[in-house]
Amino acid sequence: MKAQEKSLGELLRQAGKITSRQIQVALGEQKKTHEPIGKVLVRLGFVEERDILQVMQGMMVLTFRVDKELYGVETFRVREVLKYTPYQALAKSQEPWEGEFSLRGTTHPLISFRHFLGMDKAPKAEGTWYIVLETKGYTFVLWVDKVLEVARFKIEQIEPCPPYLFGKRNELYSCLG
């Protein structure tokens, strides 16, 4: 049997799920309770069980393209993928939102990933795609050029975001593959 090369805490830190400080706090708590480190991390609210499963199995990602660059979003956040249909533009600019998208009688905010990246609008909207996402109970629609496929990234292929991205709308990204 192959020995585990990295601790669970280090795998979670490398995936951008927890910080080194949170690992230290959890290890201190583990010394007191003698619980497995994964249970301690979940109990303290630092991670969810799915985060632990994800780093052990790898990350499933819906990949998409904007211009010539490839991006991805974790599949557990994806609710639907839809081909472009017209949306309701906002009367007043509300950064970073592009407009509102109506889905089965419910309106959701729409963000253009091109706009988020500081790019011009797509030459033509027809043929573009929407990804309906949910994060922390909040649903919104991400407008992208093209949806590609679902891919699995092994944990060793995933790097945390570089420090210069921390605090910059990081609810939209968490790591690099």
PDB file of all heavy atoms in Angstrom, residues 22 27 30 38 45-46 49 51 60 68 95-96 135 142 145 152 157:
ATOM      1  N   GLN A  22      -5.666  27.922  10.101  1.00  0.00           N
ATOM      2  CA  GLN A  22      -6.783  27.030  10.426  1.00  0.00           C
ATOM      3  C   GLN A  22      -6.288  25.617  10.705  1.00  0.00           C
ATOM      4  O   GLN A  22      -6.821  24.937  11.574  1.00  0.00           O
ATOM      5  CB  GLN A  22      -7.813  27.040   9.297  1.00  0.00           C
ATOM      6  CG  GLN A  22      -8.574  28.349   9.212  1.00  0.00           C
ATOM      7  CD  GLN A  22      -9.447  28.440   7.980  1.00  0.00           C
ATOM      8  OE1 GLN A  22      -9.052  28.049   6.887  1.00  0.00           O
ATOM      9  NE2 GLN A  22     -10.652  28.977   8.152  1.00  0.00           N
ATOM     10  N   LEU A  27      -5.330  21.343  14.611  1.00  0.00           N
ATOM     11  CA  LEU A  27      -4.403  20.400  15.250  1.00  0.00           C
ATOM     12  C   LEU A  27      -4.398  20.570  16.764  1.00  0.00           C
ATOM     13  O   LEU A  27      -4.338  19.588  17.510  1.00  0.00           O
ATOM     14  CB  LEU A  27      -2.996  20.569  14.673  1.00  0.00           C
ATOM     15  CG  LEU A  27      -2.801  20.077  13.247  1.00  0.00           C
ATOM     16  CD1 LEU A  27      -1.424  20.492  12.719  1.00  0.00           C
ATOM     17  CD2 LEU A  27      -2.993  18.573  13.149  1.00  0.00           C
ATOM     18  N   GLN A  30      -7.495  18.964  17.943  1.00  0.00           N
ATOM     19  CA  GLN A  30      -7.373  17.510  17.823  1.00  0.00           C
ATOM     20  C   GLN A  30      -6.606  16.921  19.007  1.00  0.00           C
ATOM     21  O   GLN A  30      -6.951  15.841  19.487  1.00  0.00           O
ATOM     22  CB  GLN A  30      -6.680  17.143  16.513  1.00  0.00           C
ATOM     23  CG  GLN A  30      -6.600  15.636  16.293  1.00  0.00           C
ATOM     24  CD  GLN A  30      -5.748  15.267  15.100  1.00  0.00           C
ATOM     25  OE1 GLN A  30      -4.757  15.926  14.809  1.00  0.00           O
ATOM     26  NE2 GLN A  30      -6.141  14.196  14.423  1.00  0.00           N
ATOM     27  N   GLY A  38     -10.148  15.435  10.072  1.00  0.00           N
ATOM     28  CA  GLY A  38     -11.248  15.807   9.186  1.00  0.00           C
ATOM     29  C   GLY A  38     -12.500  16.197   9.948  1.00  0.00           C
ATOM     30  O   GLY A  38     -13.149  17.195   9.634  1.00  0.00           O
ATOM     31  N   GLY A  45     -16.051  24.341  11.355  1.00  0.00           N
ATOM     32  CA  GLY A  45     -16.621  25.119  10.261  1.00  0.00           C
ATOM     33  C   GLY A  45     -15.602  25.596   9.244  1.00  0.00           C
ATOM     34  O   GLY A  45     -15.900  26.455   8.417  1.00  0.00           O
ATOM     35  N   PHE A  46     -14.391  25.045   9.287  1.00  0.00           N
ATOM     36  CA  PHE A  46     -13.350  25.446   8.338  1.00  0.00           C
ATOM     37  C   PHE A  46     -13.580  24.860   6.951  1.00  0.00           C
ATOM     38  O   PHE A  46     -13.223  25.471   5.945  1.00  0.00           O
ATOM     39  CB  PHE A  46     -11.965  25.043   8.832  1.00  0.00           C
ATOM     40  CG  PHE A  46     -11.533  25.751  10.094  1.00  0.00           C
ATOM     41  CD1 PHE A  46     -10.610  25.172  10.932  1.00  0.00           C
ATOM     42  CD2 PHE A  46     -12.040  26.996  10.445  1.00  0.00           C
ATOM     43  CE1 PHE A  46     -10.187  25.816  12.089  1.00  0.00           C
ATOM     44  CE2 PHE A  46     -11.632  27.653  11.594  1.00  0.00           C
ATOM     45  CZ  PHE A  46     -10.699  27.054  12.420  1.00  0.00           C
ATOM     46  N   GLU A  49     -17.770  18.513   4.506  1.00  0.00           N
ATOM     47  CA  GLU A  49     -17.375  17.145   4.177  1.00  0.00           C
ATOM     48  C   GLU A  49     -17.040  16.992   2.699  1.00  0.00           C
ATOM     49  O   GLU A  49     -16.118  16.289   2.330  1.00  0.00           O
ATOM     50  CB  GLU A  49     -18.466  16.156   4.584  1.00  0.00           C
ATOM     51  CG  GLU A  49     -18.534  15.942   6.080  1.00  0.00           C
ATOM     52  CD  GLU A  49     -19.571  14.912   6.482  1.00  0.00           C
ATOM     53  OE1 GLU A  49     -19.960  14.076   5.644  1.00  0.00           O
ATOM     54  OE2 GLU A  49     -19.973  14.949   7.654  1.00  0.00           O
ATOM     55  N   ASP A  51     -15.644  19.085   0.798  1.00  0.00           N
ATOM     56  CA  ASP A  51     -14.292  19.593   0.551  1.00  0.00           C
ATOM     57  C   ASP A  51     -13.259  18.497   0.788  1.00  0.00           C
ATOM     58  O   ASP A  51     -12.306  18.343   0.027  1.00  0.00           O
ATOM     59  CB  ASP A  51     -13.972  20.793   1.450  1.00  0.00           C
ATOM     60  CG  ASP A  51     -14.858  21.994   1.180  1.00  0.00           C
ATOM     61  OD1 ASP A  51     -15.155  22.244  -0.004  1.00  0.00           O
ATOM     62  OD2 ASP A  51     -15.253  22.671   2.144  1.00  0.00           O
ATOM     63  N   MET A  60     -13.981  17.805  -9.653  1.00  0.00           N
ATOM     64  CA  MET A  60     -14.758  17.738 -10.888  1.00  0.00           C
ATOM     65  C   MET A  60     -15.105  19.172 -11.289  1.00  0.00           C
ATOM     66  O   MET A  60     -15.653  19.922 -10.494  1.00  0.00           O
ATOM     67  CB  MET A  60     -16.040  16.928 -10.697  1.00  0.00           C
ATOM     68  CG  MET A  60     -15.788  15.472 -10.380  1.00  0.00           C
ATOM     69  SD  MET A  60     -15.001  14.587 -11.720  1.00  0.00           S
ATOM     70  CE  MET A  60     -16.298  14.557 -12.927  1.00  0.00           C
ATOM     71  N   LYS A  68      -9.866  33.069 -25.879  1.00  0.00           N
ATOM     72  CA  LYS A  68      -9.003  31.909 -26.135  1.00  0.00           C
ATOM     73  C   LYS A  68      -8.558  31.213 -24.855  1.00  0.00           C
ATOM     74  O   LYS A  68      -7.791  30.264 -24.904  1.00  0.00           O
ATOM     75  CB  LYS A  68      -7.776  32.352 -26.936  1.00  0.00           C
ATOM     76  CG  LYS A  68      -8.138  32.833 -28.320  1.00  0.00           C
ATOM     77  CD  LYS A  68      -6.935  33.332 -29.077  1.00  0.00           C
ATOM     78  CE  LYS A  68      -7.403  33.783 -30.450  1.00  0.00           C
ATOM     79  NZ  LYS A  68      -6.886  35.052 -30.858  1.00  0.00           N
ATOM     80  N   GLU A  95     -22.257  47.296 -11.081  1.00  0.00           N
ATOM     81  CA  GLU A  95     -21.071  46.444 -11.212  1.00  0.00           C
ATOM     82  C   GLU A  95     -21.156  45.268 -10.265  1.00  0.00           C
ATOM     83  O   GLU A  95     -21.543  45.447  -9.127  1.00  0.00           O
ATOM     84  CB  GLU A  95     -19.807  47.245 -10.925  1.00  0.00           C
ATOM     85  CG  GLU A  95     -19.498  48.293 -11.963  1.00  0.00           C
ATOM     86  CD  GLU A  95     -18.956  47.721 -13.258  1.00  0.00           C
ATOM     87  OE1 GLU A  95     -18.334  46.646 -13.224  1.00  0.00           O
ATOM     88  OE2 GLU A  95     -19.177  48.326 -14.294  1.00  0.00           O
ATOM     89  N   PRO A  96     -20.790  44.091 -10.624  1.00  0.00           N
ATOM     90  CA  PRO A  96     -20.358  43.649 -11.943  1.00  0.00           C
ATOM     91  C   PRO A  96     -21.502  43.044 -12.757  1.00  0.00           C
ATOM     92  O   PRO A  96     -21.267  42.380 -13.752  1.00  0.00           O
ATOM     93  CB  PRO A  96     -19.332  42.563 -11.589  1.00  0.00           C
ATOM     94  CG  PRO A  96     -19.922  41.915 -10.380  1.00  0.00           C
ATOM     95  CD  PRO A  96     -20.588  43.050  -9.618  1.00  0.00           C
ATOM     96  N   THR A 135     -23.900  29.453  -4.948  1.00  0.00           N
ATOM     97  CA  THR A 135     -22.856  29.503  -3.943  1.00  0.00           C
ATOM     98  C   THR A 135     -23.438  30.115  -2.679  1.00  0.00           C
ATOM     99  O   THR A 135     -24.085  31.160  -2.734  1.00  0.00           O
ATOM    100  CB  THR A 135     -21.616  30.282  -4.424  1.00  0.00           C
ATOM    101  OG1 THR A 135     -20.623  30.277  -3.410  1.00  0.00           O
ATOM    102  CG2 THR A 135     -21.914  31.687  -4.844  1.00  0.00           C
ATOM    103  N   LEU A 142     -23.783  32.917 -14.896  1.00  0.00           N
ATOM    104  CA  LEU A 142     -22.500  33.317 -15.470  1.00  0.00           C
ATOM    105  C   LEU A 142     -22.591  33.163 -16.981  1.00  0.00           C
ATOM    106  O   LEU A 142     -22.911  32.091 -17.485  1.00  0.00           O
ATOM    107  CB  LEU A 142     -21.382  32.427 -14.907  1.00  0.00           C
ATOM    108  CG  LEU A 142     -19.955  32.794 -15.262  1.00  0.00           C
ATOM    109  CD1 LEU A 142     -19.588  34.154 -14.663  1.00  0.00           C
ATOM    110  CD2 LEU A 142     -19.004  31.718 -14.749  1.00  0.00           C
ATOM    111  N   ASP A 145     -18.455  32.326 -23.234  1.00  0.00           N
ATOM    112  CA  ASP A 145     -18.443  32.129 -24.685  1.00  0.00           C
ATOM    113  C   ASP A 145     -18.867  30.715 -25.083  1.00  0.00           C
ATOM    114  O   ASP A 145     -19.685  30.537 -25.973  1.00  0.00           O
ATOM    115  CB  ASP A 145     -17.057  32.405 -25.257  1.00  0.00           C
ATOM    116  CG  ASP A 145     -16.671  33.880 -25.181  1.00  0.00           C
ATOM    117  OD1 ASP A 145     -17.467  34.701 -24.697  1.00  0.00           O
ATOM    118  OD2 ASP A 145     -15.552  34.196 -25.613  1.00  0.00           O
ATOM    119  N   ARG A 152     -11.897  16.016 -14.584  1.00  0.00           N
ATOM    120  CA  ARG A 152     -11.446  15.753 -13.215  1.00  0.00           C
ATOM    121  C   ARG A 152      -9.992  16.183 -13.105  1.00  0.00           C
ATOM    122  O   ARG A 152      -9.151  15.784 -13.888  1.00  0.00           O
ATOM    123  CB  ARG A 152     -11.559  14.270 -12.855  1.00  0.00           C
ATOM    124  CG  ARG A 152     -11.083  13.974 -11.429  1.00  0.00           C
ATOM    125  CD  ARG A 152     -11.142  12.505 -11.071  1.00  0.00           C
ATOM    126  NE  ARG A 152     -12.472  11.944 -11.154  1.00  0.00           N
ATOM    127  CZ  ARG A 152     -13.369  11.961 -10.156  1.00  0.00           C
ATOM    128  NH1 ARG A 152     -13.053  12.514  -9.016  1.00  0.00           N
ATOM    129  NH2 ARG A 152     -14.559  11.432 -10.319  1.00  0.00           N
ATOM    130  N   GLN A 157      -2.738  18.508  -9.367  1.00  0.00           N
ATOM    131  CA  GLN A 157      -2.837  19.434 -10.492  1.00  0.00           C
ATOM    132  C   GLN A 157      -3.445  20.767 -10.074  1.00  0.00           C
ATOM    133  O   GLN A 157      -3.565  21.675 -10.886  1.00  0.00           O
ATOM    134  CB  GLN A 157      -3.717  18.827 -11.591  1.00  0.00           C
ATOM    135  CG  GLN A 157      -3.155  17.585 -12.228  1.00  0.00           C
ATOM    136  CD  GLN A 157      -4.164  16.973 -13.189  1.00  0.00           C
ATOM    137  OE1 GLN A 157      -5.261  16.575 -12.798  1.00  0.00           O
ATOM    138  NE2 GLN A 157      -3.789  16.916 -14.455  1.00  0.00           N
TER     139      GLN A 157
END
